[in-house]
Amino acid sequence: MAQTPRPTHPLSIDEAWAFTAGNASATTFFFDFDGVLSPVTDDPDASQPVPAVLGVLERLAESVQRVAIVSARPVSFLRSRFSSLERVDLYGLYGLEVWHEGEVVTNPAAEPWVPTMAELAERAKAELPASTLVEYKRLSVALHYRTAPHEAPAVERWGHEQAEQLGLRIQAGRMVVELKPPVDQDKGMVITEGVREAGCAWYFGDDMSDIKAFDALRAREAVDPSFFGVAVAVANPETGAEVSSAADLTLESPDAVAAFLTDGLTRF
């Protein structure tokens, strides 16, 4: 496939970029949003990509086969932040929604759960402590206790009780409990499908849900010795050691991600 030798783990950053540049036409870059392209904020609606991100993602999309954002956010939110990027695919709600070539595609198995999620969001607002931020995402409901961490036990207990009663699934995260439909879909599944035809792929993540994406890269390497995957953890005070230890490389912030990509693009 490529004349540039496939790097081995542990990685040399220079070798990783050299291989990527030599295989740009078969390379995909995947990014989580919160904590990776945007700082984590107390109010999820206030999150914005760091200033350098839009430009560097546009340049990256012009240089490689594909760029995609894989997030727990709905596609509508991601579109509001990245509408200027014509060549970037958006996976919302862990892949339950996909924006590709100007169209939103929703997993049909999840659609019947929309009324349940709407009702759940209203009950959460009525029954949980006022300090809990209830984020309704149409196909999931996230219960944030970032501004009141002492409420974590009550919020998590309520969330798990509702999941059991309604037949929902729990997605754990940083200072949040998210309830979603009982549909098999996660970031690892997005990456598994997304790298089937790729020769090289990078994934940038910062939370426990991103470990499944890292694992998907490892699994692809295991069955295809010519494939090269790079797992990048974006660390912050809330990122557990488990996320960083599962990655090949660690960056310190969304600004560092933008700078890392800007430097990498000079190798192309």
Side-chain angles (χ1 to χ4, degrees):
M1 181 193 76
Q3 296 179 355
T4 306
R6 178 186 178 277
T8 57
H9 301 277
L11 291 182
S12 155
I13 294 176
D14 288 339
E15 290 179 353
W17 275 120
F19 185 88
T20 301
N23 294 271
S25 63
T27 293
T28 297
F29 276 77
F30 298 96
F31 301 90
D32 185 16
F33 176 72
D34 292 286
V36 172
L37 302 177
S38 166
V40 175
T41 59
D42 290 343
D43 179 0
D45 288 337
S47 297
Q48 297 285 345
V50 296
V53 156
L54 293 178
V56 76
L57 289 186
E58 184 72 19
R59 288 174 54 205
L60 188 64
E62 293 170 352
S63 302
V64 300
Q65 182 184 50
R66 186 181 182 214
V67 173
I69 297 170
V70 185
S71 174
R73 301 297 193 121
V75 161
S76 58
F77 174 91
L78 297 174
R79 283 286 298 153
S80 72
R81 270 53 177 181
F82 298 102
S83 60
S84 65
L85 302 182
E86 298 180 359
R87 290 179 289 273
V88 176
D89 293 333
L90 306 174
Y91 289 85
L93 304 177
Y94 306 95
L96 291 177
E97 297 178 332
V98 182
W99 173 269
H100 179 64
E101 296 183 347
E103 182 181 0
V104 178
V105 179
T106 301
N107 186 317
E111 284 282 7
W113 292 88
V114 172
T116 300
M117 293 301 172
E119 294 170 7
L120 178 65
E122 292 305 311
R123 285 200 295 107
K125 293 174 183 177
E127 298 177 12
L128 286 171
S131 56
T132 307
L133 192 155
V134 179
E135 184 184 9
Y136 170 61
K137 306 181 185 180
R138 195 173 79 92
L139 290 174
S140 72
V141 176
L143 311 174
H144 299 266
Y145 49 84
R146 179 175 301 280
T147 60
H150 61 282
E151 299 287 7
V155 174
E156 292 184 0
R157 181 170 57 253
W158 190 91
H160 281 81
E161 288 172 353
Q162 299 305 312
E164 183 174 354
Q165 292 173 13
L166 299 173
L168 303 174
R169 292 183 181 174
I170 290 285
Q171 176 67 57
R174 294 181 301 165
M175 305 288 196
V176 62
V177 175
E178 186 163 6
L179 293 94
K180 57 184 187 178
V183 178
D184 286 332
Q185 185 63 60
D186 57 39
K187 293 181 179 180
M189 295 172 68
V190 171
I191 304 310
T192 296
E193 184 62 31
V195 301
R196 288 192 190 281
E197 304 301 325
C200 175
W202 294 61
Y203 185 92
F204 293 70
D206 77 314
D207 208 343
M208 293 297 292
S209 62
D210 297 308
I211 293 178
K212 290 184 177 180
F214 294 168
D215 290 343
L217 296 181
R218 306 283 187 246
R220 180 63 183 172
E221 284 187 327
V223 299
D224 182 358
S226 68
F227 175 82
F228 177 52
V230 186
V232 183
V234 184
N236 57 64
E238 296 176 7
T239 301
E242 189 173 353
V243 179
S244 293
S245 63
D248 298 304
L249 308 171
T250 301
L251 301 174
E252 63 184 11
S253 68
D255 283 311
V257 170
F260 180 78
L261 295 173
T262 299
D263 178 67
L265 282 167
T266 66
R267 326 287 182 95
F268 284 64

